[in-house]
């Protein structure tokens, strides 16, 4: 079945996809609204409400919206075009807050080819940014692989690509100026527009580079770009025998290196990816296959198969499907082509604007959901958790070896990760942003099954994933990706940032009444309350670390037990009746 589904997917490679839904829905015009993310559910499955949504089309309209809300003392949060952040960053408190959507703040403000700079509004998508830079024969050197993110969203969450070179792979570290609209005093007309830069106001600038949406609304961002260049890409699959050693050094050898790890198969796909001069021949295209439009019925069948495997405990079938999928994706070079149409062999050489990011399922033709992005909540498609944690490079070898030790105990335990293409591992480096990365690290991005209908349904080998998550956070001091993760990843995370207090001081200065803050943001910043939610079954959804059996699913045989390799972990384990 998986083979034929793959063929169906391949047939629809060039199909147009139904565009994603608007994450904001209102009952009457732009009032009485709800907001979600692009996956249709937050980690705690709560419904986020707002009194209304505003769609400013110019900075002047944005200023007016912020001034009016400030004068009325209303809470505000920013919503982006596609709302890809998994945590509740977009939510206001209660029902009386205001959502400010940057959907129509999507224009180029100015270009300066001589200075290699480009200024855009915050609602511009990464795809637009890449295209506009290319028109100037310029390139953003590093970026996330999914181009459906907006500039404001990337700045708010610290989004990144993969590199240890230069200033590193975080988008915000290639920004020279930020224009921020924040609450103001009565004498200022209840609003203040600030122009932030490293030279003029370094404290505010370094806070705004990863702001979590807490300092106001980013109106404009100026990027420092580079002359257009090309990349030479080769994917190579190897055994993971020496992966711990290789992971530490590989990023120094290749500028755009990353990995797809298939731990249950004992395989790693190495991305050998380097910069080459613009005059080198090649018109390659990175069009990542899982980001293309998929036939909705095929995605639904695949999801149904996985649900059946989960409910029946069919780990062997899950592992078999994972192996076939991994082989299929590697055989089609993950969607990379030499000329935009077909793959003829490595290396694939193409210009930076064609090789850095993709997301073809966002194409805007409507077809009644015949095809869609595979995670579109309007179909019964992919529904998953995403754990993304940056482990310091000094701890990476030990972390990888601990995961391999878990696989040795039960080789089938991580096949579910491989059904989601494997563990994506990317390089990040230290940043001057107060809430950016603290040191050179590898970001481990793990995507895995989540029950769509019942939050109290445990997963196959749930304890293995929970142990990896806790191992990274507690044993190896990993930092969470602000735009991904389950609640427990943020518990106490703010204490790991040496400039956390500097960020909080800037937040108090720019928004003294906390109008852009919420109960959720206060929790993740350690200001008030706790981001974990201890209750029956809370560990199943990552809302807590279990401390008693009731936090798991004792009625289904899942009890709270120590980890197998990291004994200090507390995980929900299926306990035999014997």
């Amino acid at each position: 079945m998986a083979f034929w589904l793959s063929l169906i997917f391949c047939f629809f490679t060039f199909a147009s996809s139904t565009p994603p839904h608007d994450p904001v829905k209102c009952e009457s015009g732009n009032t009485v609204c709800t907001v979600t993310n692009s996956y249709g559910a937050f980690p705690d499955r709560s419904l986020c409400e707002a009194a209304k949504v505003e769609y400013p089309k110019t900075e002047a309209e944005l200023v007016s919206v912020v001034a009016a809300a400030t004068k009325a003392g209303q809470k505000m949060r920013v919503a982006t075009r596609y709302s890809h952040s998994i945590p509740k960053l977009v939510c206001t408190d209660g029902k009386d807050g205001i959502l400010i959507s940057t959907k129509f703040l999507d224009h180029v403000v100015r270009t300066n080819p001589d200075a290699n700079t480009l200024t855009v509004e915050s609602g511009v998508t990464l795809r637009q940014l890449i295209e506009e830079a290319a028109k100037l024969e310029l390139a953003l050197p590093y970026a996330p692989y999914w181009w459906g993110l907006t500039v404001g969203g990337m700045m708010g969450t610290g989004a990144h690509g993969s590199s240890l070179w230069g200033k590193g792979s975080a988008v915000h570290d290639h920004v020279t100026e930020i224009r921020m609209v924040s609450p103001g005093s009565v004498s200022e007309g209840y609003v203040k527009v600030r122009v932030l830069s490293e030279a003029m106001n370094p404290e505010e600038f370094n806070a705004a580079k990863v702001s979590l949406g807490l300092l106001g609304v980013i109106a404009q961002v100026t990027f420092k770009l580079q002359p257009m260049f090309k990349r030479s890409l080769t994917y190579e699959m190897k055994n993971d025998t020496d992966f711990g050693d290789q992971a530490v050094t590989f990023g120094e050898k290749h500028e755009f290196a990353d990995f797809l790890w298939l731990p249950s198969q004992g395989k790693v796909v190495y991305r050998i990816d380097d910069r080459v001069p613009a005059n080198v021949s090649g018109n390659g295209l990175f069009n990542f296959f899982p980001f293309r439009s998929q036939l909705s019925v095929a995605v639904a069948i695949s999801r149904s198969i996985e649900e059946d495997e989960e409910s029946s405990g069919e780990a062997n079938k899950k592992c078999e499907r994972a192996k076939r999928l991994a082989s299929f994706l590697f055989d089609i070079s993950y969607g990379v082509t030499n000329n935009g149409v077909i793959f003829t062999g490595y290396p694939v050489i193409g210009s930076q604007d064609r090789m850095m990011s993709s997301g073809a399922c966002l194409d805007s033709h409507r077809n009644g959901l015949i095809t869609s992005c595979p995670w579109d909540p309007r179909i019964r498609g992919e529904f998953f958790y995403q754990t993304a944690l940056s482990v310091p490079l000094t701890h990476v070898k030990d972390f990888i070896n601990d995961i391999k030790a878990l696989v040795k105990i039960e080789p089938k335990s991580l096949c579910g990760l491989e059904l989601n293409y494997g563990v994506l591992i990317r390089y990040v480096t230290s940043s001057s942003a107060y809430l950016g990365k603290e040191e050179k690290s590898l970001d481990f991005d793990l995507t895995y099954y989540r029950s769509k209908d019942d939050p109290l349904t445990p997963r196959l080998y749930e304890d293995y994933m929970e142990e990896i998550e806790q191992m990274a956070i507690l044993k190896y001091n990993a930092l969470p990706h602000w735009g991904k993760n389950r609640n427990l990843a943020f518990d106490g995370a703010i204490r790991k940032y040496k400039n956390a207090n500097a960020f909080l001081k800037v937040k108090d200065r720019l928004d003294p009444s906390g109008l852009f803050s919420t109960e959720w943001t206060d929790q993740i910043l350690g200001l008030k309350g706790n981001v974990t939610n201890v209750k029956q079954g809370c560990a199943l959804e990552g809302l807590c670390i279990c401390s008693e059996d009731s936090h798991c699913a004792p009625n289904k045989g899942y009890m709270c037990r120590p980890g197998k390799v990291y004994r200090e972990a507390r995980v929900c384990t299926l306990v035999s009746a014997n």
Side-chain angles (χ1 to χ4, degrees):
M1 172 66 81
F3 173 76
W4 290 110
L5 287 177
S6 296
L7 289 182
I8 292 171
F9 290 161
C10 198
F11 177 78
F12 276 86
T13 289
F14 301 103
S16 297
S17 168
T18 302
H21 71 298
D22 192 320
V24 180
K25 298 284 188 296
C26 299
E27 292 183 12
S28 177
N30 289 346
T31 62
V32 191
C33 305
T34 60
V35 62
T36 185
N37 54 32
S38 61
Y39 314 102
F42 295 112
D44 63 357
R45 301 186 188 241
S46 62
L47 180 68
C48 290
E49 301 175 274
K52 64 178 179 178
V53 59
E54 298 281 3
Y55 291 95
K57 296 180 175 66
T58 64
E59 184 179 294
E61 291 182 5
L62 173 61
V63 167
S64 178
V65 168
V66 174
T70 302
K71 184 176 182 179
Q74 287 182 293
K75 292 278 189 172
M76 294 168 273
R77 292 299 290 168
V78 178
T80 60
R81 171 65 183 87
Y82 300 116
S83 191
H84 273 288
S85 291
I86 291 175
K88 295 166 63 175
L89 288 171
V90 71
C91 298
T92 65
D93 284 337
K95 301 180 180 181
D96 300 323
I98 293 176
L99 297 172
I100 303 173
S101 173
T102 59
K103 182 176 181 179
F104 300 118
L105 292 172
D106 59 351
H107 306 100
V108 173
V109 178
R110 62 181 176 273
T111 63
N112 188 340
D114 293 334
N116 290 351
T117 60
L118 173 64
T119 302
V120 298
E121 293 179 320
S122 65
V124 164
T125 64
L126 176 57
R127 181 182 190 174
Q128 291 174 271
L129 178 64
I130 292 168
E131 291 173 348
E132 293 297 334
K135 292 177 184 177
L136 304 173
E137 298 185 357
L138 297 174
L140 184 66
Y142 313 104
Y145 300 165
W146 168 251
W147 66 24
L149 308 176
T150 64
V151 166
M154 291 188 291
M155 298 289 292
T157 59
H160 58 85
S162 182
S163 189
L164 292 176
W165 295 35
K167 291 186 176 182
S169 62
V171 172
H172 56 261
D173 284 326
H174 301 274
V175 166
T176 60
E177 188 176 281
I178 301 167
R179 194 170 174 90
M180 180 79 70
V181 179
S182 305
S185 63
V186 175
S187 63
E188 293 167 328
Y190 298 99
V191 66
K192 187 174 180 64
V193 180
R194 293 176 171 87
V195 179
L196 310 178
S197 69
E198 184 70 45
M200 297 296 293
N201 30 34
E203 291 182 356
E204 288 87 350
F205 181 67
N206 287 322
K209 284 168 70 174
V210 181
S211 67
L212 308 183
L214 292 171
L215 309 182
V217 185
I218 295 175
Q220 299 174 14
V221 176
T222 299
F223 289 91
K224 179 69 172 180
L225 306 175
Q226 296 179 6
M228 182 60 71
F229 58 90
K230 288 186 175 180
R231 285 163 63 168
S232 173
L233 167 64
T234 298
Y235 285 118
E236 186 173 318
M237 186 179 289
K238 301 180 181 180
N239 291 330
D240 69 0
T241 307
D242 62 346
F243 182 41
D245 291 316
Q246 290 290 338
V248 176
T249 61
F250 192 69
E252 300 288 355
K253 299 173 183 176
H254 302 285
E255 183 174 2
F256 304 99
D258 73 17
F259 310 96
L260 270 177
W261 188 17
L262 308 168
S264 284
Q265 300 176 43
K267 303 288 186 182
V268 184
V269 179
Y270 287 73
R271 183 185 188 123
I272 303 167
D273 194 348
D274 293 290
R275 185 183 303 230
V276 295
N279 60 1
V280 173
S281 177
N283 194 35
L285 179 68
F286 175 73
N287 188 6
F288 189 51
F289 188 81
F291 290 169
R292 301 183 195 180
S293 59
Q294 310 287 356
L295 185 63
S296 297
V297 66
V299 176
I301 292 170
S302 182
R303 173 68 186 190
S304 179
I305 291 171
E306 187 169 21
E307 288 174 346
D308 288 345
E309 291 165 348
E310 284 283 331
S311 61
S312 63
E314 288 286 356
N316 287 329
K317 290 183 178 180
K318 183 172 283 197
C319 293
E320 290 168 5
R321 288 201 305 126
K323 287 179 181 178
R324 289 197 292 269
L325 178 61
S327 178
F328 168 73
L329 290 173
F330 186 75
D331 287 346
I332 65 165
S333 63
Y334 299 93
V336 176
T337 57
N338 297 82
N339 57 8
V341 180
I342 60 173
F343 172 71
T344 59
Y346 293 121
V348 175
I349 297 173
S351 58
Q352 170 70 340
D353 60 308
R354 292 170 59 84
M355 296 291 287
M356 67 189 307
S357 300
S358 69
C361 70
L362 291 178
D363 289 345
S364 60
H365 302 289
R366 298 182 182 275
N367 61 19
L369 285 172
I370 295 173
T371 59
S372 67
C373 293
W375 53 82
D376 193 309
R378 295 171 294 181
I379 66 172
R380 192 164 187 87
E382 295 177 357
F383 192 65
F384 47 75
Y385 298 106
Q386 216 166 29
T387 294
L389 299 163
S390 295
V391 177
L393 213 54
T394 52
H395 296 323
V396 158
K397 180 179 178 179
D398 291 337
F399 180 53
I400 288 173
N401 287 339
D402 279 350
I403 294 175
K404 291 168 73 173
L406 283 171
V407 173
K408 188 174 182 180
I409 293 170
E410 178 47 80
K412 296 178 289 188
S413 59
L414 301 184
C415 291
L417 290 173
E418 296 163 14
L419 279 175
N420 290 281
Y421 320 118
V423 182
L424 174 62
I425 306 175
R426 296 176 292 167
Y427 288 97
V428 292
T429 191
S430 60
S431 172
S432 60
Y434 290 160
L435 297 185
K437 303 302 181 185
E438 294 285 303
E439 57 186 304
K440 290 182 179 180
S441 304
L442 269 175
D443 187 88
F444 289 74
D445 207 324
L446 302 94
T447 303
Y448 48 105
Y449 177 88
R450 183 183 189 187
S451 173
K452 200 157 194 171
D453 302 319
D454 184 5
L456 297 181
T457 299
R459 304 180 307 281
L460 269 178
Y461 298 112
E462 167 153 339
D463 47 343
Y464 285 78
M465 280 304 311
E466 290 180 356
E467 185 168 345
I468 291 171
E469 187 176 37
Q470 293 176 40
M471 188 188 296
I473 296 167
L474 303 175
K475 182 178 181 181
Y476 294 117
N477 205 39
L479 294 177
H481 188 304
W482 293 110
K484 302 180 182 180
N485 287 298
R486 310 190 309 167
N487 281 26
L488 69 88
F490 300 107
D491 188 22
I494 194 65
R495 294 193 294 270
K496 300 178 182 179
Y497 293 85
K498 64 179 182 294
N499 288 313
N501 287 335
F503 177 85
L504 294 175
K505 289 178 181 178
V506 172
K507 183 182 88 70
D508 290 342
R509 194 153 63 237
L510 269 61
D511 183 21
S513 297
L515 296 180
F516 281 90
S517 296
T518 66
E519 180 182 16
W520 162 257
T521 62
D522 282 349
Q523 289 170 350
I524 63 175
L525 292 179
L527 297 176
K528 186 177 180 182
N530 199 307
V531 73
T532 56
N533 183 5
V534 178
K535 61 180 182 178
Q536 181 178 343
C538 57
L540 301 176
E541 294 253 288
L543 301 179
C544 73
I545 294 175
C546 71
S547 57
E548 58 185 60
D549 291 341
S550 68
H551 298 157
C552 299
N555 59 322
K556 297 177 181 177
Y558 283 77
M559 309 295 185
C560 186
R561 296 291 185 267
K564 295 172 176 61
V565 173
Y566 177 49
R567 298 294 294 173
E568 289 82 354
R570 291 296 178 268
V571 298
C572 294
T573 301
L574 180 60
V575 178
S576 171
N578 296 329

